[in-house]
């Protein structure tokens, strides 16, 4: 007699990124494979599966649920409980049920290979359909209005699927089985072309051809994309790129370039295996690459820099446009200056009208704004320079659960905010600099969307120490019961420690441009002994006067004046810093320093790079933050170099790093005709060696062996990789930014980590 296999029933609850990633269809297929009965459904942010069948099959199912999950899914946990068998037949995808639990929202996913093939296959019914997607790819976060993730709660709800699409949606063997965004030329969204003033409208294929023709002629075309508008121009046309610069009021900041294939990227720049993997990843960020000398690119793309930002097409519309244009295109944010990027049709027609010659538009609404992400690879590190499309809104875990939901409002520049519920941090995509009403409005809109989407009602606001920041005003105006403050550099270190789950004390090197210190000075090169509960400032860059305050970040020669005061006036080493600066102006600024008028004291690594660039005669005026540091890094290249003197002394109970001898040596070297690239390399090595020395001294004095590197200065690949290497050679454990990047984009998460920790201790 045959043994009847034992039969049982289970209920599985799967948490993680499991909605909008083809998870339910996958479960359906898997259940079919093992002959299991039951159903699967989305319940708020989780997936619930009910199964009946043989015990061995159920066990195999649970195993393969993890091993064969769809590529974009991320399974955090599977809870499995035994339930009573109900003797059901077949397997269904049941209606979604909403519940007030944690709600992960999937990120947008670049067009997959299969869809790309179908897009260019004349035999396929979606041949050249600009909105082709499947279960594995397409827009998600940017079109989701609410959870659970169903077409009815996305901006695709405006497009009722035709009979053929509906049949694919319902067919369990189809690659579009339960694809919420599926569409075809009969039922999907439309594209059209129009002039800057709305004239000369043309639809469909014609629209893409007209856009490509306009680009050939050097026009600026506003392209409605996935998370917002791009401004596109022909990347090989120098005049067109310059025109875009002048219209956008952006004289030097580099523009990113979009190409269609990896081979096309390789024709522009050198691409390592690691870089190829990031370039072709589902997030498709802008990746900073070393351009080839013979690359057909306009010289105005990234003046003075040794990197060019390249991304691959990530929507079907991009593929079609690039194919028709048959050249690489500049694709930069559709905004003026640093305003938020435009997303709406009317908004774009108003705000971008003066910037573009024409528009390439479509009628699928963008619900949430999301910029392109930016990444660079440095040795073993992926440095996330901007975390947005493809990464946000995937939550980042906190090392401790917060007893109260909270909102950390983030910093002044490169703002993001973070909403916390329990142990999950929902970090917003890059918002930008909080200057002006437009930015503040954008902040509020994003905050409202996030609160609704993730169902978090904060009870606590967390903000920076700076009393004057717009973010501080925002936090105060939210009207929450409690407001907590976190010092900027403490937040930097906390962010990196927390993403690694570290809550014990560390030695933190926080190097950046500007942060408000607890003594009221401008901080930016700090060594903190800290954990999530607090910090002690163990070392700092020696204070220098910044005549003109914030103005010194743009007029770099002013920083040099501050340092020259420390060196004793009339040092010939500083002469090059003032080349072209009128003597009367320079004298006035010297007076500002000696009399201490509008000359705040600063210990900023960013300003030290600025001073070095001025003293070397590389740059005296900057048009964007970090410009001088990027140029010095480019000049230094991979050149080996010995450090120059950068001594450490003790004063006021802490170690002081004194860069005056270093700056003097740089100026002297330049005066004696030493190669500027070599001096830039020696400058980098000096910062590396002194940083390593001070970290070792502090670590030894307090008996710690973990060093955290954080702050925008660690976007500099040479600093990051060299300091990491040298610290590891000293047997110190080094933690660097991975999930959120080193710059101020991570501040809100760091603020959240500190607040969650304090609240969990009952502070
Ligand atoms: Zn696809
Ligand atoms: Zn259809
Ligand atoms: Fe910072």
């Amino acid at each position: 007699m045959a043994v009847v296999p034992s039969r049982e029933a289970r209920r599985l609850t799967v948490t993680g990124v499991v909605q909008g990633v083809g998870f339910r269809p996958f479960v359906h297929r898997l259940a079919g494979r093992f002959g299991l009965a039951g159903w699967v459904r989305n319940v708020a942010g989780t997936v619930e599966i009910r199964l009946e069948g043989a015990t061995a099959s159920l066990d195999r199912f649970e195993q393969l649920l993890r091993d064969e999950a769809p590529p974009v899914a991320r399974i955090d946990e599977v809870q499995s409980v035994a339930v009573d068998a109900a003797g059901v037949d077949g397997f269904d995808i049941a209606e979604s049920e909403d519940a007030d639990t944690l709600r992960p929202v999937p990120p947008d996913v670049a067009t997959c290979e299969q869809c790309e093939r179908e897009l260019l296959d004349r035999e396929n019914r979606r041949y050249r359909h600009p909105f082709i997607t499947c279960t594995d790819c397409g827009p998600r976060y940017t079109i989701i209005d609410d959870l659970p993730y169903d077409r009815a709660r996305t901006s695709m709800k405006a497009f009722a699927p035709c009979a053929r699409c509906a049949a694919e949606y319902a067919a369990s063997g189809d690659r579009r089985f339960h694809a919420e965004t599926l569409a075809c030329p009969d039922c999907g969204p439309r594209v059209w072309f129009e002039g800057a003033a709305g004239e000369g409208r043309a639809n469909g294929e014609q629209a893409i051809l007209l856009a490509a023709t306009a680009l050939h002629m050097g026009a600026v075309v506003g392209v409605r994309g996935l998370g917002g508008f791009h401004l596109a121009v022909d990347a090989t046309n120098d005049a067109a790129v310059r025109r875009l610069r002048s219209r956008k009021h952006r004289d030097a900041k580099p523009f990113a370039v979009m190409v269609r294939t990896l081979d096309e990227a390789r024709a522009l720049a050198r691409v390592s295996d690691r870089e190829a993997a990031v370039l072709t990843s589902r997030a498709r960020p802008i990746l900073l690459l070393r351009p080839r000398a013979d690359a057909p690119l306009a010289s105005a793309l990234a003046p003075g820099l040794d990197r060019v930002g390249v991304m691959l097409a990530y929507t079907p519309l991009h593929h079609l446009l690039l194919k028709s244009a048959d050249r690489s295109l500049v694709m930069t944010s559709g905004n003026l200056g640093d305003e938020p990027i435009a997303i709406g049709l009317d908004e774009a027609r108003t705000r971008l009208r003066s910037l573009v010659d024409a528009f390439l538009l479509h009628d699928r609404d963008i619900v949430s704004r999301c910029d392109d992400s930016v990444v660079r690879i440095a040795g073993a590190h992926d440095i996330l320079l901007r975390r947005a499309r493809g990464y946000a809104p995937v939550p980042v875990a906190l090392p401790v659960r917060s007893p109260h939901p909270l909102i950390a409002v983030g910093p002044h520049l490169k703002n993001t905010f973070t909403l916390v519920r329990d142990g999950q941090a929902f970090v917003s995509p890059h918002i930008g600099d909080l200057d002006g009403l437009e930015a503040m409005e954008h902040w509020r809109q994003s905050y409202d969307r996030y609160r609704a989407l993730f169902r978090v009602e904060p009870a606590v606001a967390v903000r920076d120490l700076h009393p004057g920041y717009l973010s501080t005003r925002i936090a105060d105006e939210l009207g929450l019961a409690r407001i907590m403050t976190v010092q900027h550099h403490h937040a930097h270190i906390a962010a990196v420690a927390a993403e690694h789950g570290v809550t014990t004390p560390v030695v933190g090197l926080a190097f950046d441009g500007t942060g408000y210190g607890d003594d009221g000075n401008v901080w930016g090169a700090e060594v903190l002994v800290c954990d999530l509960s607090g910090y002690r400032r163990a070392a700092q860059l020696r204070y220098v006067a910044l005549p003109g305050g914030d103005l010194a970040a743009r007029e770099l020669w002013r920083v040099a004046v501050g340092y020259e005061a420390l060196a004793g006036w009339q040092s010939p080493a500083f002469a090059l810093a003032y080349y072209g600066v009128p003597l009367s102006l320079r004298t006035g600024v010297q007076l500002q320093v000696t009399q201490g008028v509008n000359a705040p004291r600063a210990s900023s690594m960013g300003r030290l790079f600025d001073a070095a660039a001025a003293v070397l005669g590389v740059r005296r005026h900057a048009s964007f933050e970090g410009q001088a540091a990027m140029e010095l890094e480019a000049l230094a290249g991979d050149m080996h170099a010995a450090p120059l003197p950068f001594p450490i002394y003790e004063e006021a109970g802490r170690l002081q790093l004194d860069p005056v001898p270093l700056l003097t040596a740089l100026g002297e070297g330049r005066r004696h005709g030493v190669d500027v690239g070599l001096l830039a390399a020696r400058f980098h090595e000096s910062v590396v060696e002194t940083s390593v020395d001070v970290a070792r001294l502090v670590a030894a004095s307090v008996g710690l062996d973990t060093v955290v590197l954080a702050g925008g200065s660690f976007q500099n690949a040479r600093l990051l990789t060299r300091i990491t290497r040298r610290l590891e050679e000293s047997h110190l454990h080094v933690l660097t930014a991975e999930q959120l990047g080193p710059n101020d984009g991570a501040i809100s998460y760091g603020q959240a980590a500190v607040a969650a920790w304090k609240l969990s201790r009952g502070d």
Side-chain angles (χ1 to χ4, degrees):
M1 200 179 123
V3 180
V4 177
S6 65
R7 199 176 161 83
E8 58 172 301
R10 287 180 199 169
R11 190 182 63 230
L12 311 184
T13 308
V14 190
T15 52
V17 180
V18 288
Q19 289 189 3
V21 292
F23 202 75
R24 288 175 303 165
F26 155 69
V27 167
H28 187 280
R29 282 194 298 275
L30 198 58
R33 210 156 109 196
F34 292 105
L36 298 169
W39 43 254
V40 58
R41 63 177 183 175
N42 285 341
V43 179
T46 68
V47 166
E48 197 175 286
I49 308 166
R50 163 76 194 231
L51 293 168
E52 273 183 55
T55 305
S57 301
L58 288 168
D59 290 344
R60 276 299 280 162
F61 178 95
E62 285 195 26
Q63 176 66 42
L64 295 183
L65 187 68
R66 284 180 180 277
D67 294 352
E68 294 185 1
V72 195
R74 192 188 81 194
I75 296 181
D76 290 342
E77 196 186 357
V78 180
Q79 276 181 350
S80 172
V81 294
V83 293
D84 290 335
V88 292
D89 280 331
F91 195 92
D92 295 322
I93 294 187
E95 284 294 301
S96 299
E97 189 162 295
D98 205 357
D100 188 37
T101 52
L102 278 184
R103 306 156 63 87
V105 176
D108 300 296
V109 184
T111 305
C112 72
E113 269 178 56
Q114 267 178 293
C115 285
E116 203 181 307
R117 262 200 303 276
E118 290 183 9
L119 179 69
L120 302 174
D121 172 7
R122 286 173 186 282
E123 304 303 310
N124 194 282
R125 76 183 190 93
R126 292 190 177 84
Y127 175 59
R128 295 187 65 87
H129 176 50
F131 301 92
I132 186 171
T133 65
C134 70
T135 315
D136 290 335
C137 79
R140 298 289 187 270
Y141 166 67
T142 52
I143 60 158
I144 292 178
D145 208 22
D146 197 6
L147 288 188
Y149 170 57
D150 278 332
R151 190 186 190 95
R153 280 172 281 259
T154 70
S155 55
M156 281 301 290
K157 68 172 177 279
F159 309 96
C162 66
R164 292 173 83 181
C165 283
E168 289 171 305
Y169 184 89
S172 66
D174 197 280
R175 7 189 251 109
R176 296 194 171 82
F177 179 46
H178 275 260
E180 304 298 341
T181 54
L182 98 169
C184 76
D186 294 333
C187 66
R190 305 279 153 180
V191 299
W192 70 93
F193 175 90
E194 64 183 44
E199 76 284 8
R201 178 166 165 150
N203 297 318
E205 280 296 328
Q206 194 69 32
I208 293 166
L209 280 176
L210 283 174
T213 309
L215 289 164
H216 277 204
M217 287 160 49
V220 179
V221 179
V223 181
R224 194 183 206 192
L226 191 65
F229 274 78
H230 278 129
L231 300 177
V233 294
D234 177 351
T236 65
N237 181 337
D238 209 50
V241 174
R242 285 178 201 284
R243 191 168 323 121
L244 178 60
R245 281 209 179 284
S246 77
R247 288 194 197 165
K248 213 167 136 61
H249 301 311
R250 176 153 145 172
D251 23 299
K253 214 169 169 185
F255 286 137
V257 172
M258 184 184 271
V259 293
R260 216 174 65 75
T261 64
L262 184 57
D263 283 344
E264 289 174 17
R266 289 189 195 280
L268 299 184
R270 278 175 289 171
V271 182
S272 70
D273 289 350
R274 175 72 205 134
E275 286 165 336
V278 172
L279 214 47
T280 56
S281 69
R282 283 175 288 273
R284 296 274 160 114
I286 296 169
L287 187 64
L288 303 192
L289 296 169
R290 275 177 203 274
R292 295 186 180 280
D294 59 351
L297 288 174
S299 60
L301 273 182
L305 302 181
D306 63 342
R307 290 287 192 284
V308 60
V310 178
M311 67 181 140
L312 297 191
Y314 55 84
T315 71
L317 184 57
H318 294 150
H319 281 283
L320 297 175
L321 181 62
L322 282 162
K323 225 170 155 38
S324 291
D326 196 27
R327 63 197 58 196
S328 52
L329 298 177
V330 165
M331 284 288 218
T332 190
S333 315
N335 56 8
L336 182 64
D338 292 321
E339 287 175 1
I341 57 173
I343 60 174
L345 289 178
D346 292 340
E347 180 194 9
R349 285 178 180 129
T350 327
R351 281 176 49 202
L352 304 184
R353 188 171 166 169
S354 60
L355 305 183
V356 305
D357 301 298
F359 284 110
L360 182 59
L361 302 173
H362 65 73
D363 59 356
R364 184 186 67 205
D365 278 343
I366 299 167
V367 177
S368 291
R369 189 177 266 116
C370 204
D371 288 76
D372 293 319
S373 295
V374 186
V375 177
R376 77 181 290 189
I377 310 284
H381 305 269
D382 291 4
I383 312 176
L384 209 48
L385 303 175
R386 182 160 81 199
R387 182 181 186 269
R389 180 184 50 76
Y391 298 88
V394 176
V396 183
L398 285 171
V400 60
R401 293 170 82 89
S402 177
H404 305 292
L406 55 89
I407 165 74
V409 301
H412 179 57
L413 299 175
K414 290 194 166 73
N415 182 275
T416 66
F417 63 78
T418 294
L419 274 183
V420 172
R421 185 158 147 176
D422 301 326
Q424 297 278 44
F426 299 98
V427 184
S428 76
H430 168 83
I431 288 185
D433 300 349
L434 289 187
D435 278 322
L437 286 179
E438 192 102 40
M440 204 150 151
E441 191 48 37
H442 175 203
W443 195 97
R444 290 223 172 87
Q445 280 171 9
S446 307
Y447 173 61
D448 288 342
R449 282 222 49 74
Y450 248 56
R451 256 181 343 164
L453 209 46
F454 298 104
R455 304 257 162 105
V456 182
E457 259 327 310
V460 179
V462 194
R463 68 158 171 87
D464 191 78
L465 272 185
H466 198 300
Y469 279 173
L470 212 55
S471 58
T472 296
R473 206 172 106 200
I474 288 172
D476 291 345
E477 286 174 3
L478 291 174
L480 301 182
R482 181 164 178 196
I483 297 174
M484 300 171 79
T485 56
V486 180
Q487 198 279 326
H488 184 93
H489 301 93
H490 185 209
H492 265 310
I493 306 295
V496 175
E499 73 153 300
H500 290 279
V502 171
T503 59
T504 48
V506 298
V507 176
L509 268 53
F511 293 175
D512 65 1
T514 300
Y516 188 78
D518 62 21
D519 57 359
N521 292 322
V522 177
W523 290 13
E526 316 304 321
V527 181
L528 307 182
V529 175
C530 65
D531 57 18
L532 294 179
S533 65
Y535 65 89
R536 181 175 69 79
R537 192 184 189 201
Q540 64 163 99
L541 188 68
R542 181 184 176 189
Y543 279 133
V544 66
L546 285 189
D550 289 344
L551 195 55
R554 270 169 288 139
E555 299 187 2
L556 313 184
W557 61 272
R558 288 170 176 267
V559 192
V561 173
Y563 276 115
E564 193 187 359
L566 297 179
W569 297 110
Q570 310 304 325
S571 165
F574 285 76
L576 263 183
Y578 313 121
Y579 188 80
V581 176
L583 189 64
S584 58
L585 180 57
R586 184 177 147 197
T587 320
V589 168
Q590 285 177 338
L591 253 144
Q592 269 187 310
V593 172
T594 47
Q595 300 181 346
V597 180
N598 187 19
R601 300 205 301 162
S603 55
S604 159
M605 185 58 75
R607 295 301 81 77
L608 176 58
F609 270 81
D610 290 346
V615 166
L616 288 173
V618 169
R619 172 163 296 283
R620 297 165 195 93
H621 298 266
S623 61
F624 61 94
E625 167 81 28
Q627 186 179 15
M630 287 161 80
E631 284 173 342
L632 287 183
E633 187 189 352
L635 280 171
D638 299 327
M639 209 185 305
H640 285 279
L644 293 162
F646 190 173
I648 300 172
Y649 64 93
E650 195 171 343
E651 191 185 279
R654 72 180 75 94
L655 299 174
Q656 309 271 340
L657 317 183
D658 182 8
V660 174
L662 169 58
L663 291 170
T664 308
L666 289 177
E668 287 297 332
R670 194 78 172 94
R671 257 162 50 87
H672 292 99
V674 181
D675 174 65
V676 68
L678 177 61
L679 290 171
R682 295 192 74 176
F683 172 72
H684 276 81
E685 283 316 292
S686 313
V687 174
V688 168
E689 288 310 313
T690 297
S691 304
V692 169
D693 286 347
V694 75
R696 280 163 46 190
L697 284 170
V698 172
S701 72
V702 288
L704 293 173
D705 65 358
T706 300
V707 179
V708 167
L709 307 181
S713 299
F714 289 105
Q715 297 173 122
N716 182 312
R718 185 168 179 146
L719 274 200
L720 176 68
T721 53
R722 292 284 298 139
I723 292 179
T724 302
R725 160 106 63 88
R726 299 281 290 116
L727 287 171
E728 285 173 350
E729 285 168 3
S730 308
H731 307 290
L732 289 161
H733 181 49
V734 183
L735 297 178
T736 59
E738 285 171 12
Q739 294 180 70
L740 292 170
N743 66 34
D744 281 8
I747 286 287
S748 66
Y749 173 76
Q751 293 172 336
V754 169
W757 179 265
K758 288 186 176 175
L759 291 168
S760 74
R761 308 285 116 166
D763 284 13

